[in-house]
């Protein structure tokens, strides 16, 4: 305890305290502060122990800074004392309040000081904190050999002022020290901005920036890594550490890291996020951090992306060989510097960009020129693909068109290296595949995209890129096929941006790569030009399809109009269906009214994959496909898997997927008599634009077919009625001659015939409304009822008798005109008896010969000549004058006798015959029932009837001009 002072000592104490406080305020040396404080305490207070210790917050300990001790041994006063829970010193440090101890030797909480107090014989002790506000910088211990000391108020005041000034000085020194240690990024940043304004290359600027960063952060190495998009590779472009010291430019691109190796590191850079990896901390996942540090060969890393807009140029990296905690000012400086690099890096690319812009303008100009001048759209796409693949350095270029009929993307053009297969799948079809777009060898298709990808392409204002197809989620439906074809990256763009997706332009690369904004821009521009080509091509294709449909329809209508038969009409219509629908096979199932069996008529490929059984008899009432067609108004498409087994019996081709079916319907008043069936090719679809034309064609075929059937039926009926009328007229005429008794010789001949025993009333009563059979009067005069002569006459007859009776019929005409007639045997005796064929009616033959002779008499002038030649043809019987006539005037090819024997009757006369009549009888001119004709009235009408009658019997009748001016009438009568 201090002793009693003289009255003037208070002023001296205040003066001494003021000098010490001034020294503490002005001094910035900690040792001087400690020494000044110890000297003042030793001089102004009477304590045997004075100890000053500084508090270490990190290690929670007190570092002894010296003092005075009994005996002069101060080594203990400079030791480090660790604070434990409940210690006196910890209590002072934490509570920041002084503590008094009556006897330090007995205090259990004194720790190491308890033993020291026993050595120093220290009892009463005061412990004061050295504090500034709420922060403790240390402690001051004052000890005495007296037990339980207690300072006066004046002493406490001076100690408080001394230790308060001491703490304030220590706080100021620490603040100044921290401030001096704190890095200020603004100064080097402004320095770099000033130096960047100087002229220099980009490499020189990078060298200066790397030096500033390295000086500020002080890492092991500072580097600038550049990003190569095509190979997706970061290569070290500039580093401050080289073999020989100084800076080095990374000319070798092997010194770097790939995107595949970096993992999440690349994703962070693309997202413009800084990556910090230090001691026990990282902004990346553990596995990515370990792989990245191992690849770069460092233990700490601070990387900031160099981004220009949304394009990643590279990153600025400060690398340490030891773990390190990166400070915020270091991160801010590196971040700002990387952005500064991004500002001046375009200078280097400016000239290249300008040159590339010129090339892009030239590219678009070339494509635009090709679009406006070339007529071949395939050549235009080839030009676009060549220019685009060279510009973007890619391997493939594809142009896709969405096929609404197929519901798939059709590859209408693609280019690929010579050793690569085309992308897409082609339908497996057999015979019947009709060409493909663009003249390629086959149609290739890609599956329809998912709704997400579809909307992405349709709504995007630019091209959509995929850097690595194996990891990207876009275009998943194409992934397997593209990866199999060697595609790893692609760029796709709608050919009509922000409009419905109808076409796509795609370029692909065989390695993962990123796509620059310039590449996306030029690709989008070219895709729009390609869109113009596709739109023009689509219009032309639609026009071609419609024109082909119209041409097919017109061809079908024309062929049906000129068809001479149902088979010809049906064949022409089916061929037009094949052409119109580009189908492999078309067929008609037809039947007559009331029939239950339908016949199958087919046209098209004979490949078994698309076969329809033309020999199959279709049961109309039991075939479900036919019944469905009859119940449907219009056409419908049927999947063959839904057909019944009966329908599959004649639709038997294994390659048939679908059939297009429509009934041959004319009017609700008339029942259909047929069904049209068209087989789809391997694609299984038809173009929707031509289906209405198909319906019109089938409808017209139904009407034409009905009209032809009616025309043929009515024509046959008319011909039969004409023949019947002629036949009845001649019979009645003979009966009239017999009854009138004009010519007794003729009458006697007629009386010998069976029909002579019937009267006209009997003939009319029996009807005779057809020309079939013998047309003999039934009843008593029928064969087999007591008239054996008739049977003999039916089977065989002397030609001379037949000829004589025929001449007898025209005897009046011969005598009136004084015509000379003669019968010539050109074949010998074997021609006199003939066993006629089973279909030969002797009476009709006699009437036909009579008609021929009557026509000859009408042609011959008075005093003219008629010669009749007869002979037997076939089986080597060719000789004499008849043979010469046959060789000189042969029968038309359609009527040449083949194999069997015939009786030939050749009538020659020196009359004049109309050449038009001969031509029409020989069918050398087209038949037109509405045009004027020599066959519309006698004698042409009667001669045509006779010709028809003989041909029904298996014979023939024809007329010729002979070189000497005579007319030859040639009859062929078949023998049995």
């Amino acid at each position: 305890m201090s002793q009693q002072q003289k009255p003037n000592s208070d002023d001296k104490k205040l003066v001494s305290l003021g000098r010490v406080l001034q020294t503490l305020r002005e001094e910035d040396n900690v040792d001087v502060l400690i020494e000044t404080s110890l000297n003042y305490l030793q001089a102004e207070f009477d304590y045997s122990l004075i100890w000053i210790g500084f508090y270490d917050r990190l290690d929670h300990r007190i570092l002894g800074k010296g003092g005075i001790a009994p005996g002069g041994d101060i080594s203990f006063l400079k030791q480090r004392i660790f604070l434990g829970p409940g210690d006196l010193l910890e209590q002072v440090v934490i509570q920041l309040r002084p503590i008094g101890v009556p006897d330090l030797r007995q205090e259990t909480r004194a720790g190491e000081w308890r033993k020291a107090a026993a050595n120093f014989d220290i009892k009463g002790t005061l412990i004061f904190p050295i504090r500034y506000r709420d922060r403790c910088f240390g402690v001051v211990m004052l000890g005495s050999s007296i037990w339980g000391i207690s300072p006066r108020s004046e002493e406490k005041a001076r100690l408080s002022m001394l230790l308060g000034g001491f703490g304030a000085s220590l706080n100021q020194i620490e603040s100044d020290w921290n401030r001096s240690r704190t890095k200020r990024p603004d100064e080097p940043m402004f320095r770099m901005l000033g130096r960047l304004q100087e002229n220099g290359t980009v490499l020189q600027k990078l060298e200066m920036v790397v030096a500033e960063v390295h000086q500020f952060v002080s890492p092991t190495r500072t580097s600038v890594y550049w990003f190569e998009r095509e190979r997706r590779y970061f290569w070290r472009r500039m580093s401050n550490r080289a073999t020989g010291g100084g800076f080095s430019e990374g000319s070798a691109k092997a010194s770097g890291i790939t995107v595949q190796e970096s993992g999440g590191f690349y994703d962070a850079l693309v997202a413009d996020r800084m990556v910090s990896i230090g001691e026990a901390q990282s902004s990346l996942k553990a596995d990515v951090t370990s792989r990245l540090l191992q690849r770069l060969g460092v233990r700490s890393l601070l990387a900031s992306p160099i981004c220009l807009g949304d394009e990643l140029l590279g990153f600025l990296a400060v690398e340490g060989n030891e773990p390190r905690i990166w400070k915020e000012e270091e991160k801010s400086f590196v971040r700002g510097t990387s952005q500064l690099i991004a500002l001046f890096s375009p200078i280097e690319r400016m000239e290249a960009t300008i040159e590339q812009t010129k090339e892009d303008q030239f590219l678009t100009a070339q494509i635009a020129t090709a679009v406006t001048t070339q007529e071949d759209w395939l050549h235009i796409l080839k030009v676009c693909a060549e220019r685009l693949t060279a510009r973007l350095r890619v391997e493939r270029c594809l142009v896709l068109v969405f096929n609404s009929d197929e519901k798939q993307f059709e590859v209408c053009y693609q280019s690929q290296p010579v050793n690569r297969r085309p992308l897409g799948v082609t339908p497996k079809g057999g015979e019947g595949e009709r060409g493909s777009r663009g003249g390629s060898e086959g149609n290739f298709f890609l599956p329809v995209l998912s709704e997400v990808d579809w909307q992405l392409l349709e709504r995007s204002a630019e091209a959509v890129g995929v850097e690595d197809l194996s990891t990207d989620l876009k275009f998943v439906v194409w992934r397997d096929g593209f990866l199999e074809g060697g595609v790893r990256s692609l760029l796709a763009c709608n050919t009509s941006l922000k409009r419905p997706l109808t076409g796509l332009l795609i370029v692909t690369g065989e390695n993962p790569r990123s796509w620059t904004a310039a590449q996306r821009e030029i690709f989008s521009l070219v895709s729009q030009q390609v869109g113009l080509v596709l739109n023009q091509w689509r219009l032309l294709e639609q026009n071609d399809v419609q024109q082909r449909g119209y041409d097919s329809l017109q061809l079908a209508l024309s062929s049906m109009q000129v068809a001479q038969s149902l088979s010809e009409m049906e064949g022409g219509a089916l061929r037009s269906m094949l052409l119109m629908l580009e189908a492999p096979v078309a067929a008609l199932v037809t039947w007559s009214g009331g029939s239950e069996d339908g016949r199958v008529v087919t046209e098209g490929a004979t490949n078994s994959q698309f076969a329809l059984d033309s020999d199959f008899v279709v049961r109309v009432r039991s075939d479900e496909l036919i019944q469905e067609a009859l119940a449907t108004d219009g056409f419908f498409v049927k999947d063959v898997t839904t057909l019944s087994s009966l329908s599959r019996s004649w639709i038997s081709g294994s390659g048939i997927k679908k059939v297009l079916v429509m009934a041959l319907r004319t009017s609700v008043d008339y029942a259909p008599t047929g069904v049209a069936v068209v087989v789809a090719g391997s694609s299984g679809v038809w173009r929707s634009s031509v289906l209405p034309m198909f319906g019109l064609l089938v409808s017209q075929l139904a009407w034409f077919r009905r009209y032809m059937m009616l025309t043929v039926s009515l024509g046959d009926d008319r011909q039969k009625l004409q023949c019947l009328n002629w036949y009845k007229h001649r019979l009645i005429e003979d009966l009239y001659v017999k009854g009138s008794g004009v010519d007794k010789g003729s009458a006697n001949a007629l009386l010998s015939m069976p029909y002579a025993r019937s009267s006209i009333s009997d003939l009319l009563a029996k009807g005779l409304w057809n020309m079939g059979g013998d047309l003999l009067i039934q009843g008593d005069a029928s064969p087999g009822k007591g008239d054996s002569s008739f049977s003999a006459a039916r089977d065989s007859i002397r030609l001379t008798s037949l000829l004589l009776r025929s001449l007898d019929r025209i005897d009046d005409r011969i005598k009136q005109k004084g015509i000379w007639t003669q019968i010539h045997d050109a074949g010998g005796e074997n021609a006199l008896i003939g066993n006629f064929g089973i279909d030969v009616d002797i009476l009709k033959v006699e009437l036909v010969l009579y008609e021929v002779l009557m026509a000859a008499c009408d042609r011959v002038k008075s005093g003219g000549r008629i010669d009749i030649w007869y002979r037997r043809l076939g089986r080597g019987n060719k000789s004499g004058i008849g043979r010469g006539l046959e060789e000189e005037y042969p029968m038309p090819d359609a009527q040449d006798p083949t194999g069997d024997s015939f009786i030939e009757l050749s009538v020659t006369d020196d009359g004049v015959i109309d050449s038009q009549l001969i031509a029409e009888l020989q069918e050398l001119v087209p038949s037109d029932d509405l045009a004027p004709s020599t066959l519309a009235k006698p004698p042409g009408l009667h001669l045509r009837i006779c010709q028809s009658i003989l041909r029904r019997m298996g014979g023939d009748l024809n007329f010729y001009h002979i070189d000497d001016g005579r007319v030859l009438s040639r009859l062929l009568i078949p023998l049995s």
Side-chain angles (χ1 to χ4, degrees):
M1 182 177 293
S2 63
Q3 300 179 353
Q4 182 70 30
Q5 300 295 327
K6 295 180 179 181
N8 61 353
S9 63
D10 293 336
D11 295 336
K12 292 180 180 180
K13 292 178 181 178
L14 291 176
V15 173
S16 176
L17 179 60
R19 287 197 297 267
V20 170
L21 292 176
Q22 183 177 1
T23 301
L24 294 177
R25 287 193 302 268
E26 295 177 353
E27 188 58 52
D28 57 359
N29 192 318
V30 177
D31 293 336
V32 174
L33 295 179
I34 295 173
E35 184 180 358
T36 300
S37 300
L38 282 174
N39 290 336
Y40 177 78
L41 291 172
Q42 187 177 7
E44 297 293 334
F45 298 93
D46 187 14
Y47 291 101
S48 57
L49 174 65
I50 302 175
W51 176 61
I52 297 177
F54 285 173
Y55 175 56
D56 184 357
R57 292 185 300 275
L58 296 178
D59 295 332
H60 196 49
R61 62 184 179 177
I62 300 242
L63 305 177
K65 294 300 181 180
I68 60 174
D73 185 8
I74 63 172
S75 59
F76 179 77
L77 302 182
K78 293 187 177 181
Q79 290 184 4
R80 300 175 181 178
I81 299 176
F82 289 91
L83 303 180
D87 289 351
L88 289 175
L89 293 178
E90 186 187 49
Q91 182 177 351
V92 172
V93 169
I94 294 175
Q95 296 181 357
L96 297 178
R97 290 185 298 176
I99 295 177
V101 181
D103 190 351
L104 188 61
R105 299 173 304 174
Q106 302 299 326
E107 181 59 55
T108 58
R109 296 180 300 165
E112 296 181 11
W113 271 106
R114 182 180 178 183
K115 182 178 180 182
N119 294 332
F120 292 145
D121 192 23
I122 299 297
K123 298 177 182 177
T125 305
L126 298 175
I127 304 174
F128 292 89
I130 304 174
R131 57 177 292 188
Y132 179 78
R133 294 181 180 178
D134 59 349
R135 185 172 180 184
C136 181
F137 286 94
V139 295
V140 173
M141 181 181 291
L142 302 175
S144 175
S145 58
I146 303 174
W147 187 91
I149 61 172
S150 178
R152 296 191 303 270
S153 299
E154 178 265 335
E155 291 179 346
K156 289 182 179 180
R158 284 189 294 150
L159 284 172
S160 177
M161 286 188 288
L162 173 67
L163 297 178
F166 193 8
S169 297
L170 290 177
N171 180 71
Q172 184 63 41
I173 291 174
E174 185 180 36
S175 298
D176 294 341
W177 181 76
N178 288 334
R179 188 179 299 109
S180 65
R181 288 192 60 193
T182 303
K183 298 179 180 180
R184 300 178 59 83
D186 53 342
E187 295 179 1
M189 186 65 69
F190 282 117
R191 186 165 57 249
M192 282 191 298
L193 288 174
R195 295 181 62 183
L196 287 175
Q197 295 179 359
E198 302 173 359
N199 294 330
T201 64
V202 174
L203 292 179
Q204 292 173 340
K205 296 178 187 294
L206 283 177
E207 181 179 342
M208 181 270 296
V209 169
V210 169
E212 290 288 348
V213 173
H214 191 76
Q215 181 180 355
F216 184 84
V217 183
S218 300
T220 304
R221 180 175 62 208
T222 303
S223 305
V224 173
Y225 289 84
W226 221 244
F227 183 49
E228 184 175 326
R229 293 184 171 277
E230 296 181 7
R231 300 175 59 187
R232 290 167 59 86
Y233 183 84
F234 292 101
W235 58 282
R236 187 183 297 131
R237 183 176 184 182
M238 178 65 66
S239 178
N240 72 307
R241 190 179 71 176
T243 304
F247 294 87
S248 67
E249 180 186 357
S251 57
K253 296 183 181 180
S255 178
I257 182 173
T258 64
V259 171
Q260 186 175 4
E261 293 173 331
S262 63
F265 176 67
Y266 170 76
D267 298 333
L269 295 179
V270 170
D272 199 16
R273 297 197 308 268
M274 199 170 185
V275 175
S276 174
I277 302 175
E279 185 176 9
Q281 62 177 355
S282 174
S283 58
L284 302 176
K285 294 181 180 180
D287 57 337
V288 178
T289 300
S290 176
R291 186 167 61 250
L292 181 63
L293 294 179
Q294 183 179 4
R295 182 67 181 84
L296 295 178
V298 296
R299 300 185 64 184
S300 58
L301 174 67
L302 189 62
S304 179
I306 303 173
C307 293
L308 185 61
D310 59 350
E311 181 180 352
L312 178 64
L313 303 179
F315 65 92
L316 174 63
V318 288
E319 306 160 337
N321 290 338
E322 298 297 333
R324 176 171 175 173
I325 298 177
W326 303 104
K327 299 179 180 179
E328 291 301 324
E329 57 269 19
E330 294 172 340
K331 295 179 181 180
S332 299
F333 184 74
V334 172
R335 178 67 168 170
T337 304
S338 66
Q339 294 175 347
L340 190 62
I341 294 175
L343 293 178
F344 69 76
S345 60
I347 299 176
E348 181 186 32
R349 301 166 57 188
M350 187 174 298
E351 292 184 0
T353 302
I354 294 174
E355 186 65 26
Q356 189 63 65
T357 302
K358 293 180 180 179
E359 293 180 5
D360 292 346
Q361 290 177 348
F362 180 67
L363 169 64
T364 55
Q366 282 184 314
I367 296 176
T369 302
V371 170
T372 56
T373 59
Q374 292 290 342
E375 296 181 357
D376 185 0
W377 67 271
L378 189 62
H379 179 74
I380 298 174
L381 295 182
K382 181 179 180 182
V383 172
C384 295
E386 291 175 352
R387 302 290 191 274
L388 199 58
T389 51
R391 165 66 177 87
L392 301 178
R393 293 196 291 271
V394 293
E395 288 77 20
R396 297 176 183 265
C397 180
L398 296 90
V399 180
L400 309 182
V401 175
F402 182 69
N403 191 319
S404 58
D405 294 327
E406 300 282 353
K407 302 302 180 184
Q408 297 183 88
F409 280 103
E410 182 175 355
V411 183
C412 66
Y413 178 83
Q414 67 172 311
S415 63
Q416 67 277 336
V418 294
N419 58 342
R420 296 291 187 271
R421 293 183 304 173
L423 297 178
V425 296
T426 179
K428 295 180 179 180
E431 186 178 350
E433 286 296 310
R434 295 182 174 268
S436 59
R437 300 180 189 272
S440 59
E441 294 181 356
N443 293 19
F444 288 89
F445 293 91
L446 293 178
V448 178
L449 295 171
S450 65
E451 184 65 23
V452 176
D453 291 334
W454 187 283
Q455 295 298 330
L456 175 64
L457 289 169
E458 195 169 61
R459 297 177 180 177
S460 178
E462 62 177 6
V464 177
V466 174
E467 296 184 1
D468 191 345
L469 193 62
S470 61
T471 59
D472 203 302
L473 296 179
K474 292 190 286 291
F475 311 128
V476 176
V477 71
W478 294 345
R479 176 185 295 173
D480 294 340
F482 277 25
L483 290 177
E484 185 180 352
V487 175
R488 292 297 301 275
S489 58
L490 64 87
L491 198 61
C493 186
N494 184 1
T495 55
S496 300
L497 287 177
K498 293 186 176 181
R499 298 180 65 185
L501 181 59
T502 57
L504 277 178
L505 179 64
I506 299 177
V507 292
T508 67
E510 295 185 350
N511 297 308
R513 60 172 290 179
S514 57
W515 308 93
T516 65
Q519 290 172 337
R520 293 173 185 264
E521 182 179 359
I522 186 62
F523 182 74
S524 299
L525 182 59
V526 174
S527 69
Q528 303 313 295
Q529 292 176 317
V530 171
L532 296 177
V533 178
L534 293 181
N535 288 334
Q536 182 180 4
W537 166 76
R538 190 178 294 107
L539 293 175
L540 292 176
E541 185 189 39
Q542 292 176 354
N543 182 70
D544 290 342
V545 171
Q546 292 180 351
Q547 187 62 46
R548 184 165 58 250
Y550 290 138
D551 292 343
S552 302
L553 182 59
Q554 183 178 4
L555 177 62
L557 295 177
S558 301
S559 62
M560 288 188 294
Q561 289 173 355
V562 300
Q564 299 296 319
S565 63
L566 278 177
S567 60
E568 184 180 348
M569 175 190 294
E570 292 169 350
L574 291 176
R575 287 188 291 272
S576 297
M577 292 179 192
L578 295 178
L579 180 62
M580 177 185 296
L581 298 174
E582 298 181 352
V585 178
L588 287 176
V589 181
T590 60
W591 60 90
S592 59
S595 175
E596 297 185 1
D597 296 336
R599 64 183 183 93
V600 181
V601 180
T602 63
E603 282 287 342
T606 58
N607 192 316
S608 59
Q609 289 186 343
F610 302 97
L612 295 180
D613 190 354
S614 58
D615 297 329
F616 190 83
V617 178
V618 179
R619 304 301 179 185
V620 177
R621 294 186 180 274
S622 57
D623 194 298
E624 295 180 2
L625 180 64
I626 301 299
Q627 289 301 312
E628 183 177 357
L630 297 178
T632 303
D633 187 12
F635 57 82
F636 63 91
V637 177
K638 195 76 171 177
D639 196 312
V640 295
T641 58
T642 63
L643 296 180
S644 65
S645 58
L646 183 59
S647 298
R648 286 294 285 170
S649 298
W650 57 278
I651 304 178
S652 55
S654 60
I656 301 176
K657 295 182 178 179
K658 295 181 180 179
V659 289
L660 180 63
V661 185
M662 183 175 178
L664 301 181
R665 195 182 307 277
T666 54
S667 173
V668 294
D669 298 330
Y670 307 134
T673 58
V675 171
V677 180
V678 180
V679 173
S682 57
S683 60
V685 295
W686 296 272
R687 298 185 185 275
S688 57
S689 58
V690 298
L691 290 180
M693 301 180 192
F694 167 75
L696 179 59
L697 173 56
V698 174
S699 177
Q700 293 300 309
L701 173 60
W703 281 108
F704 273 104
R705 190 170 179 276
R706 176 176 176 81
Y707 289 150
M708 176 165 283
M709 292 174 66
L710 290 174
T711 302
V712 171
S713 177
L714 295 176
D716 290 343
D717 291 343
R718 186 187 71 168
Q719 186 177 13
K720 290 178 181 178
L721 291 175
Q722 286 179 341
C723 292
L724 180 62
N725 184 54
W726 171 85
Y727 180 64
K728 285 187 174 184
H729 182 79
R730 290 306 181 202
L731 285 179
I732 295 173
E733 185 180 67
D734 279 348
L735 292 174
Y736 174 75
V737 171
K738 178 196 69 172
S740 62
V742 174
D743 189 303
K744 295 299 182 179
S746 297
N748 292 332
L750 288 172
L751 286 174
S752 66
M753 300 300 294
Y755 64 80
R757 296 191 292 269
S758 298
S759 63
I760 295 179
S761 59
D762 294 333
L763 179 62
L764 295 177
K766 297 297 181 180
L768 300 177
W769 286 107
N770 61 75
M771 289 291 291
D774 295 327
L775 286 179
L776 298 178
I777 304 302
Q778 301 298 317
D780 296 336
S782 60
K785 290 191 177 182
D787 194 346
S788 59
S789 62
F790 172 78
S791 179
R794 173 66 183 86
D795 295 334
S796 61
I797 189 174
R798 268 191 173 278
L799 290 181
T800 52
S801 300
L802 178 64
L803 296 176
L804 290 175
R805 284 201 305 272
S806 299
L807 290 175
D808 204 21
R809 289 171 180 268
I810 62 171
D811 186 61
D812 291 343
R813 295 286 184 93
I814 293 175
K815 292 179 179 180
Q816 289 176 4
K817 302 182 70 173
I819 300 174
W820 184 86
T821 61
Q822 186 175 1
I823 298 176
H824 305 276
D825 181 4
E829 284 298 323
N830 59 350
L832 296 180
I833 301 297
N835 295 323
F836 293 105
I838 191 172
D839 296 327
V840 175
D841 187 336
I842 303 299
L843 179 57
K844 294 176 185 175
V845 173
E846 186 174 339
L847 294 177
V848 167
L849 181 57
Y850 165 68
E851 193 69 47
V852 171
L853 293 174
M854 283 287 294
C857 290
D858 293 338
R859 290 192 300 270
V860 174
K861 297 180 180 180
S862 298
R865 180 185 178 94
I866 296 178
D867 292 284
I868 302 175
W869 309 81
Y870 64 89
R871 64 170 177 163
R872 187 169 184 166
L873 292 181
R875 308 186 188 280
N877 295 309
K878 293 187 178 181
S879 60
I881 302 175
R883 183 180 62 183
L885 291 175
E886 179 191 15
E887 293 175 354
E888 188 173 358
Y889 302 101
M891 296 290 293
D893 292 340
Q895 302 298 331
D896 277 344
T898 56
D900 293 336
S901 297
F902 294 88
I903 292 296
E904 179 190 52
L905 296 178
S906 300
V907 179
T908 60
D909 63 84
D910 55 1
V912 178
I913 190 173
D914 190 352
S915 299
Q916 180 68 20
L917 175 59
I918 292 182
E920 291 183 0
L921 287 173
Q922 293 180 354
E923 299 178 358
L924 300 178
V925 294
S927 176
D928 186 0
D929 292 338
L930 298 180
S933 173
T934 59
L935 303 181
K937 58 183 180 179
L941 175 60
H942 293 167
L943 294 178
R944 185 173 65 83
I945 292 173
C946 295
Q947 188 180 58
S948 174
I949 290 174
L950 279 183
R951 287 180 178 177
R952 286 176 182 235
M953 297 179 185
D956 192 47
L957 169 64
N958 234 315
F959 301 87
Y960 307 91
H961 277 295
I962 304 179
D963 291 342
D964 58 6
R966 290 182 299 164
V967 177
L968 169 63
S969 302
R970 188 188 191 203
L971 292 84
L972 288 178
I973 305 171
L975 299 176
S976 60

